[in-house]
């Protein structure tokens, strides 16, 4: 077995370590979501936590980790007699992003259930994680149907598996820990709210700290066991402190004054629902127990807010997480008075030395710095930028758009945009199973078996089922698509009012793409060439940031923009051949630079038409004299054009319906 990197050897990342330790003290806090750039020890810290957790008592031989002191009466391996049981280390179970539903919740042997009436159940990862940690790396890339199952299990503390009238239920209470890189996409709000705490992590910019990170990592890689042995003392001390804090936790007093501060803080930051209040209360209590105190202080409430609220105050995917700490301090100060029923704390809000120890986290809290994809540097600059470059125009307020969809039926990744054949959705028919049977079509199975009952010697009430009789349900759902924006950023688009409207419209479509679980990409062209401002990604807020900072100016290399977009689609088909694309070209149709630029752009557009790529041209031409070049471009693409003045939610919806009709006629 591989020796894990010691938890106490992680350099820096105080907020991350504190959040994990608070959940170890009080699993009721509800887990941790770790957000940050790649290479910041997110996974290393999470995987090392399990070694610090106290052992758990289990019923010997129970596959569902029942507590011998109070065994689950509905355990599939039960019933169990109460007893002393056996002890084992707490588990940390990893859920792969590409896991199947059966791997997560477990699988029933449908064939045996139908033919023999036997509930043959193989537990899944939810059963393995019961009373331990369920860790999801890249949780933002998890398929929607797995997210739904996680939400149900986390809410009910149990997992249900039901197949054609045969059901199994078992307890599934676990500490949910997820890590993610925001550049690769955001989480659904429902799952985001399910994490008790969130922390933002980033690599240190201090040379001395970076040197220490490298030194420790190299030492661990050279001799994992020896490196872990050198940190055994610190690991044992933290483990003992967790045990002591757990024992103290029931004695911690959460007074009315602290509760009023919690409620006022959640109200001031306009978080939805009441889960934030409950999580803050549990976190503040765990902070006090970790510090060895039996009273919750104002500093505990402040630290709890910094950990529990940033991810709950986002109103749309383009909002960066974080809290206004000045506003937080004003709110806590305003509601700092004790109620008449409370005994005043003699040490005051800052007394008693009750903050977390230096190895657990800072005294004031969370990392609310800039998102990695929104930093000051690293923005790709379009080729050919020169003296004619205009400053970036600010986008107008985004609006709600109606659904865009790609024609036909695809087989892409699960999403909410276009029709697709999926494992989840409404049943449209039946087929013979390819591999293991997962979704039984009962009527089709019975119909296939019925003609053979006499020949098979059936004598009892049950059907005689053979493997060849089984039928898999064919289902239709929705898929996510690749929405590729091709934006003209040349001098002809530099009019500030026009570019602001264009950016507002694209921003609205990006918001729709976030809600429909699409990938998005952004190609811009100006000057002498085109650039991929953002390769296809699930991070629509990264696309919004690149769009917001997009400058304009220079010539109009329309053909280069189309050819660059065509190359992006070609590469993306190799990476994800099942994902279909919708191309949105935002331009006035002009083309300048080089010999015959308009004709060259037409030839580039016909590449999309030949491959039947669904496309929309947003005509940004303005003024009393219109050349109609955008309409000509749309015809070459095999798509439809709409003027900028018509770029509204209802106009967009009608436009894409026209695109669908055009594509069907072409097919």
């Amino acid at each position: 077995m591989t020796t894990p990197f010691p938890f106490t050897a992680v350099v820096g990342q105080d907020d991350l370590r504190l959040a994990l330790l608070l959940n170890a003290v009080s699993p009721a806090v509800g887990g941790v979501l770790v957000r940050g750039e790649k290479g910041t020890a997110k996974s290393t810290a999470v995987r090392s936590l399990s070694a610090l957790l106290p052992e758990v008592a289990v019923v010997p031989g129970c596959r569902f980790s029942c507590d011998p002191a109070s065994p689950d009466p509905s355990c599939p391996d039960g019933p169990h007699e109460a007893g002393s049981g056996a002890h084992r280390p707490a588990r940390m179970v990893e859920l792969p992003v590409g896991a199947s539903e059966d791997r997560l919740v477990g699988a029933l042997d449908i064939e045996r259930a139908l033919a023999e009436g036997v509930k043959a159940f193989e537990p899944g990862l939810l059963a393995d994680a019961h009373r331990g940690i369920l860790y999801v790396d890249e949780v933002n890339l998890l398929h929607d149907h797995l997210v739904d199952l996680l939400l149900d299990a986390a809410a009910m503390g149990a997992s249900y598996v039901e197949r054609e009238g045969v059901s199994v239920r078992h307890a599934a209470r676990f500490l949910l820990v997820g890590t993610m890189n925001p550049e690769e996409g955001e989480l659904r709000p429902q799952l985001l709210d399910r994490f008790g705490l969130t922390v933002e992590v980033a690599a240190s910019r201090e040379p001395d700290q970076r040197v220490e990170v490298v030194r420790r990592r190299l030492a661990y890689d050279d001799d994992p066991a020896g490196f872990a042995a050198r940190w055994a003392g610190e690991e044992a001390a933290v483990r003992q402190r967790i045990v002591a804090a757990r024992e103290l936790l029931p004695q911690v007093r959460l007074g009315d004054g602290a509760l009023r501060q919690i409620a006022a803080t959640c109200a001031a930051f306009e978080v939805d629902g009441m889960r934030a209040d409950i999580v803050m209360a549990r976190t503040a209590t765990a902070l006090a127990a970790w510090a060895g105190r039996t009273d919750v202080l104002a500093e505990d409430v402040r630290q709890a807010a910094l950990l529990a609220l940033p991810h709950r105050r986002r109103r749309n995917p383009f909002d960066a997480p974080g809290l206004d700490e000045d506003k937080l301090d004003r709110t806590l100060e305003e509601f700092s008075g004790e109620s008449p029923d409370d005994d005043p704390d003699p040490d005051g809000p800052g007394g008693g030395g009750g903050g977390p120890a230096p190895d657990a986290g800072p005294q004031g809290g969370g990392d609310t710095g800039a998102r990695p994809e929104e930093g000051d540097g690293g923005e790709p600059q379009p080729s050919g930028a020169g003296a004619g470059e205009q400053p970036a125009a600010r986008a107008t307020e985004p609006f709600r758009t109606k659904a865009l969809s790609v024609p036909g039926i695809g087989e892409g990744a699960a999403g909410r945009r276009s029709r697709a054949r999926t494992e989840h959705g409404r049943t449209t028919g039946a087929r013979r199973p390819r591999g293991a049977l997962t979704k039984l079509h009962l009527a089709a199975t019975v119909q296939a078996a019925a003609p053979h009952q006499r020949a098979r010697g059936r004598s009892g009430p049950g059907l005689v089922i053979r493997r060849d009789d089984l039928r898999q349900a064919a289902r239709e759902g929705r898929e996510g698509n690749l929405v590729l924006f091709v934006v003209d950023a040349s001098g002809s688009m530099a009019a500030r009012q026009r570019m602001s409207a264009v950016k507002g419209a694209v921003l609205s479509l990006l918001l729709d793409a976030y809600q429909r679980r699409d990938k998005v990409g952004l190609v811009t062209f100006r000057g002498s060439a085109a650039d991929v401002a953002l390769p296809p990604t699930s991070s629509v807020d990264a696309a919004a940031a690149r769009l917001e900072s997009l400058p304009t100016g220079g010539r109009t290399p329309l053909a280069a923009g189309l050819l660059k977009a065509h190359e992006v689609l070609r590469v993306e088909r190799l990476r994800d051949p099942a994902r279909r694309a919708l191309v949105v070209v935002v331009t006035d149709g002009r083309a300048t630079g080089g010999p015959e630029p308009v004709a060259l752009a037409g030839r580039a557009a016909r590449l999309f038409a030949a491959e039947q790529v669904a496309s929309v041209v947003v005509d940004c031409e303005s003024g009393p004299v219109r050349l109609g070049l955008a309409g000509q471009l749309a015809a070459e693409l095999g798509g439809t054009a709409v003027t900028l003045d018509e770029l509204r939610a209802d106009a967009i919806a009608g436009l894409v319906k026209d695109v669908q009709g055009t594509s069907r006629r072409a097919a």
Side-chain angles (χ1 to χ4, degrees):
M1 181 178 179
T2 303
T3 303
F5 193 91
F7 185 85
T8 51
V10 175
V11 178
Q13 308 297 7
D14 295 327
D15 287 341
L16 169 57
R17 292 191 293 154
L18 176 60
L20 292 171
L21 289 170
L22 292 177
N23 276 274
V25 171
S26 176
V29 166
V32 185
L33 174 64
V34 188
R35 301 163 49 92
E37 58 195 21
K38 50 189 175 292
T40 49
K42 301 187 298 293
S43 300
T44 298
V46 173
R47 291 189 175 103
S48 62
L49 176 66
S50 60
L52 299 178
L53 297 181
E55 291 187 335
V56 295
V58 297
V59 173
C62 178
R63 298 174 296 167
F64 301 88
S65 302
C66 281
D67 185 349
S70 56
D72 183 2
S74 60
C75 174
D77 285 354
H80 304 299
E81 295 291 335
S84 58
H87 287 77
R88 63 160 175 79
R91 289 175 180 162
M92 191 194 73
V93 177
E94 293 195 40
L95 173 60
V97 169
S100 66
E101 178 182 343
D102 287 346
R103 185 72 187 97
L104 178 63
V105 301
L108 278 171
D109 190 331
I110 301 297
E111 189 171 358
R112 289 190 64 193
L114 285 175
E116 305 174 28
V118 176
K119 291 184 181 180
F121 181 70
E122 184 66 28
L125 295 178
L126 290 179
D128 293 341
H130 179 49
R131 304 176 66 200
I133 302 172
L134 182 62
Y135 171 46
V136 189
D137 193 13
E138 306 293 352
V139 64
N140 51 325
L141 303 182
L142 200 63
H143 286 180
D144 274 359
H145 70 284
L146 296 182
V147 170
D148 293 336
L149 293 170
L150 273 181
L151 290 175
D152 290 342
M156 298 183 294
S159 175
Y160 293 84
V161 183
E162 298 192 11
R163 300 282 174 81
E164 306 298 340
V166 180
S167 64
V168 173
R169 174 211 171 273
H170 65 82
R173 292 181 295 275
F174 46 82
L175 174 62
L176 182 61
V177 180
T179 55
M180 60 175 283
N181 182 349
E183 292 180 349
E184 296 175 338
E186 285 293 345
L187 282 177
R188 287 169 52 186
Q190 296 94 329
L191 183 57
L192 196 63
D193 187 52
R194 190 62 64 183
F195 287 96
L197 309 180
T198 185
V199 291
E200 293 279 329
V201 297
S204 172
R205 299 299 183 255
E206 293 293 330
D208 290 343
Q209 194 171 73
R210 295 175 75 96
V211 167
E212 186 60 24
V213 169
V214 175
R215 181 180 291 121
R216 293 187 187 183
R217 186 69 211 190
L218 292 177
Y220 170 77
D221 290 341
D222 289 341
D223 182 11
F227 183 82
R230 291 195 293 274
W231 290 87
E234 288 83 349
E235 294 280 288
V238 173
R239 192 179 298 109
Q240 292 170 4
R241 188 175 175 186
I242 292 174
V243 173
R246 282 189 172 188
E247 293 175 350
L248 182 63
L249 187 65
Q251 305 172 39
V252 176
R253 177 175 174 269
L254 182 65
D256 286 346
L259 276 174
R260 281 201 303 275
Q261 286 184 317
I262 291 170
T265 300
C266 292
F269 286 99
E270 299 180 354
V271 296
D272 296 329
M274 294 298 298
R275 183 173 284 117
D277 303 63
I278 297 171
V279 170
M280 272 191 66
R282 289 171 173 167
T283 304
T285 303
L287 280 162
W290 178 250
R293 289 185 272 102
T294 56
D295 286 299
V296 173
L297 306 182
E299 64 193 65
D300 300 323
V301 176
R302 186 182 193 278
Q303 182 67 66
L306 291 170
L307 293 172
L309 296 187
H311 60 302
R312 292 187 166 90
R313 58 165 293 278
R314 288 167 60 97
R315 286 293 177 262
N316 65 64
F318 311 137
D319 291 337
L323 291 182
D324 182 341
E325 295 195 34
D326 291 337
K327 180 178 179 180
L328 173 61
D329 291 336
R330 290 194 301 270
T331 303
L332 294 176
E333 179 66 25
E334 181 181 353
F335 290 86
S336 61
E338 296 285 332
S339 72
D341 296 333
D342 286 337
D343 294 329
D345 181 43
D347 294 322
D359 67 335
Q363 290 298 316
D367 179 1
T368 58
R371 300 283 297 281
E373 68 273 17
E374 297 172 356
D376 294 333
E379 289 292 343
Q381 294 298 321
S383 303
E389 180 176 298
Q390 301 287 333
R394 190 172 185 84
T396 58
E397 192 69 21
F399 52 84
R400 185 174 182 83
T401 67
K402 292 184 179 179
L404 312 179
S405 60
V406 176
I409 300 179
E411 294 182 343
R416 297 190 180 91
R417 184 171 296 279
S418 304
R419 294 172 59 198
R421 287 181 284 270
T422 63
E423 289 294 320
H424 304 271
R426 63 185 182 90
T427 300
T428 59
R431 59 175 174 81
R432 292 182 182 273
R434 295 189 290 266
L437 178 70
T438 55
K439 300 291 183 182
L440 178 73
H441 194 295
L442 182 58
T445 298
V446 172
Q447 186 176 10
H452 309 290
Q453 296 305 295
R454 180 174 298 178
R456 293 173 183 173
R458 171 186 167 187
S459 58
L463 287 175
V464 180
I465 302 292
R466 299 283 188 265
R467 172 68 184 175
D468 290 343
D469 300 330
L470 298 178
R471 295 293 183 270
Q472 178 90 12
R475 301 193 174 192
E476 182 178 304
R478 293 280 169 176
E479 66 177 2
N481 298 117
L482 168 60
V483 182
L484 182 61
F485 295 94
V486 186
V487 180
D488 183 351
S490 65
S492 64
M493 298 286 290
R496 185 165 299 278
Q497 184 177 4
R498 191 195 327 172
M499 199 61 195
S500 295
V502 167
K503 287 187 176 182
V506 177
L507 202 63
S508 302
L509 293 172
L510 285 172
L511 180 59
D512 182 68
Y514 163 76
Q515 294 167 341
R516 299 185 185 281
R517 313 298 286 176
D518 291 315
K519 293 179 74 172
V520 296
L522 178 62
V523 172
T524 64
F525 57 94
R526 69 185 183 96
S528 60
D531 292 277
V532 182
L534 185 71
T537 175
S538 297
S539 179
V540 294
D541 50 350
R546 303 291 170 87
L547 178 73
E548 189 70 23
S549 61
L550 178 67
T552 56
R555 293 184 176 181
T556 312
L558 176 57
L562 294 175
L563 290 174
K564 181 68 72 173
H566 187 267
E567 175 65 15
V568 169
L569 292 183
R570 186 189 68 80
V571 174
E572 191 63 18
R573 286 193 198 100
L574 296 176
R575 295 174 178 168
D576 191 357
R579 189 181 292 270
R580 298 182 294 161
L582 172 67
V583 176
V584 180
V585 184
V586 185
T587 181
D588 57 9
R590 288 180 172 85
T592 60
E596 300 184 346
V598 175
L600 185 60
R603 288 197 294 271
R606 286 192 288 275
L607 295 175
F608 293 86
E611 297 172 2
Q612 297 185 2
V613 177
S615 60
V616 175
V617 177
V618 178
D619 183 359
C620 301
E621 189 176 26
S622 61
V625 179
R626 295 177 180 268
L627 302 178
L629 297 176
Q632 296 177 24
L633 176 63
E636 299 281 7
L637 286 166
T640 306
V642 62
T643 65
L644 188 61
D645 293 337
E646 297 169 340
L647 197 59
R648 305 184 310 272
D650 53 350
I652 293 172
L655 166 67
V656 175
K657 289 178 182 177
D658 291 341
V659 172
Q660 291 178 321
T662 301
S663 299
R664 289 192 186 99
R665 288 193 296 273

